[in-house]
Amino acid sequence: MTISHRSQPCLVDRKSADWSLVDDVLRGLRSSPKRLSPTYFYDELGSHLFDRICELPEYYVTRTETGILAAHAGEIARLVGDGALLVELGSGASTKTRLLLDSLPGLAAYVPVDISRSHLLAAAQRTSAAYPHLEVRPVCADFTQAFALPKPERTPARVVVFFPGSTIGNFDPPAAVELMRVMRRIAGPAGALVIGFDLAKDPAVLERAYNDSAGVTAAFNLNVLRRLNRELGADFDLARFRHEAVWAAAESRIEMHLVSVCRQEVAIAGEVITFGAGERLVTEHCHKYTPETFAAQAQAAGWEARRTWADERGYFNVQYLE
Ligand code: AVJ
């Protein structure tokens, strides 16, 4: 007998109590170079802008990964098996997940995890409406901190972590290894990981993907300052910062910066932060891997790749690990 879950999905909040936005932001703005965590992009407007980025002609990432998932959903579903608990980290709009859900009718439950609460709830409601027999249990959490999984009505056969979109690329190598260890703890000994990661390629293609002609990525980048103005009472003048995304070959990553166009002082939470003319605030690192560099990172965290899928151009990889 199948249980129907037509009622609204019930969201649980699992934000760690000892974490503070103001402390973390000030720590980043006092350091050299100045930096902000890319997590802060995803307020409501930021999450919406990111959804628009995914549709930009220059941003091949989402389209390429979607193509890989669509082509191999059946095989991925066989590897995941029946009755699994599917935990998606940084689920956002959960659009790509549908490719898997369509092939996984026997899931115990789907647990989307995201930092952006209203965006998460709206996406969970849409998923629940589209899959009425699926138990959807959204968790609002920063997935870089350990959090407890909700207990679904059916005891899951195993836990499979789904981490698409090359979100792993936002983490510098030591933090990425640590996060992949956290995923091992979430998945447990019988668990698995399905992860998407972006590959190093022609720098011109990479730089175009992060400097789109419509300026959506620039708006996404600058929006983090608007958020600090709203939530921390800062007085950033968005017209005095410029979006820049550059390929750093030595680190094999795209670096997103906000460049101060003049010398200026910004007040934030009772502190004054001085920016020099041309000074960069680092807002994001997007690491691009080779199959070898990714395998080394996964192995350091105790994961073994069982299967790898790629697109025809060799732009992106999706991997199944145990
Ligand atoms: C969500 C981290 C995968 O690195 O491509 C897109 C974020 N930033 N354009 C990426 C992003 C600017 C994205 N990830």
Side-chain angles (χ1 to χ4, degrees):
M1 195 190 76
T2 38
I3 308 155
S4 178
H5 294 276
R6 277 170 213 287
S7 56
Q8 298 283 312
C10 155
L11 183 148
V12 291
D13 284 290
R14 296 274 161 78
K15 293 221 187 123
S16 65
D18 59 353
W19 179 90
S20 136
L21 176 70
V22 63
D23 292 347
D24 192 54
V25 166
L26 284 177
R27 198 175 316 123
L29 293 178
R30 286 181 199 131
S31 57
S32 177
K34 293 182 172 62
R35 52 184 157 76
L36 287 173
S37 162
T39 313
Y40 303 138
F41 285 138
Y42 301 94
D43 65 355
E44 222 182 323
L45 177 58
S47 297
H48 169 75
L49 288 168
F50 181 67
D51 288 343
R52 282 182 56 198
I53 287 174
C54 293
E55 286 170 7
L56 292 170
E58 297 97 332
Y59 194 72
Y60 61 85
V61 178
T62 313
R63 235 172 288 114
T64 308
E65 184 179 43
T66 301
I68 297 171
L69 289 172
H72 304 287
E75 192 185 352
I76 296 171
R78 275 195 299 283
L79 290 162
V80 169
D82 240 15
L85 182 74
L86 187 70
V87 180
E88 180 173 3
L89 305 180
S91 49
S94 289
T95 315
K96 280 176 278 203
T97 321
R98 294 195 174 204
L99 295 164
L100 291 191
L101 295 181
D102 288 340
S103 305
L104 283 166
L107 273 191
Y110 169 53
V111 178
V113 183
D114 206 279
I115 191 83
S116 186
R117 198 174 192 283
S118 52
H119 209 63
L120 170 67
L121 189 58
Q125 282 164 352
R126 284 195 304 272
T127 308
S128 194
Y131 301 87
H133 297 287
L134 177 65
E135 184 177 350
V136 180
R137 298 291 298 273
V139 174
C140 184
D142 173 352
F143 58 72
T144 61
Q145 320 291 132
F147 64 92
L149 288 175
K151 287 241 177 310
E153 287 167 25
R154 275 167 64 203
T155 304
R158 69 196 298 222
V159 176
V160 177
V161 175
F162 183 42
F163 196 40
S166 202
T167 308
I168 189 69
N170 268 180
F171 298 83
D172 289 352
V177 170
E178 181 47 39
L179 178 59
M180 290 187 77
R181 289 203 181 109
V182 169
M183 293 190 266
R184 266 194 64 206
R185 283 199 290 278
I186 295 173
L193 167 64
V194 178
I195 189 167
F197 54 93
D198 199 19
L199 298 172
K201 56 184 67 63
D202 180 356
V205 172
L206 287 167
E207 291 195 340
R208 262 202 304 280
Y210 293 85
N211 292 285
D212 64 282
S213 58
V216 184
T217 308
F220 172 74
N221 198 5
L222 284 159
N223 177 59
V224 73
L225 302 182
R226 189 182 289 119
R227 175 178 193 178
L228 299 184
N229 287 349
R230 186 183 64 241
E231 291 186 25
L232 299 179
D235 67 352
F236 282 101
D237 178 353
L238 273 62
R240 290 182 169 184
F241 288 87
R242 182 170 55 75
H243 160 77
E244 198 180 88
V246 290
W247 172 242
E251 291 85 10
S252 192
R253 68 192 181 200
I254 285 282
E255 296 190 1
M256 294 246 297
H257 301 149
L258 289 167
V259 186
S260 177
V261 299
C262 57
R263 185 185 163 78
Q264 57 181 320
E265 294 187 334
V266 176
I268 175 165
E271 206 163 307
V272 174
I273 305 287
T274 304
F275 287 86
E279 187 178 346
R280 278 141 215 284
L281 166 59
V282 179
T283 52
E284 188 177 35
H285 288 159
C286 311
H287 290 266
K288 308 300 174 183
Y289 304 91
T290 65
E292 294 73 28
T293 59
F294 191 82
Q297 180 174 291
Q299 261 160 34
W303 288 104
E304 205 67 61
R306 299 274 183 249
R307 192 81 177 82
T308 306
W309 301 274
D311 57 296
E312 276 172 11
R313 292 185 294 192
Y315 273 14
F316 199 93
N317 274 180
V318 174
Q319 215 165 57
Y320 173 85
L321 307 100
E322 287 178 336

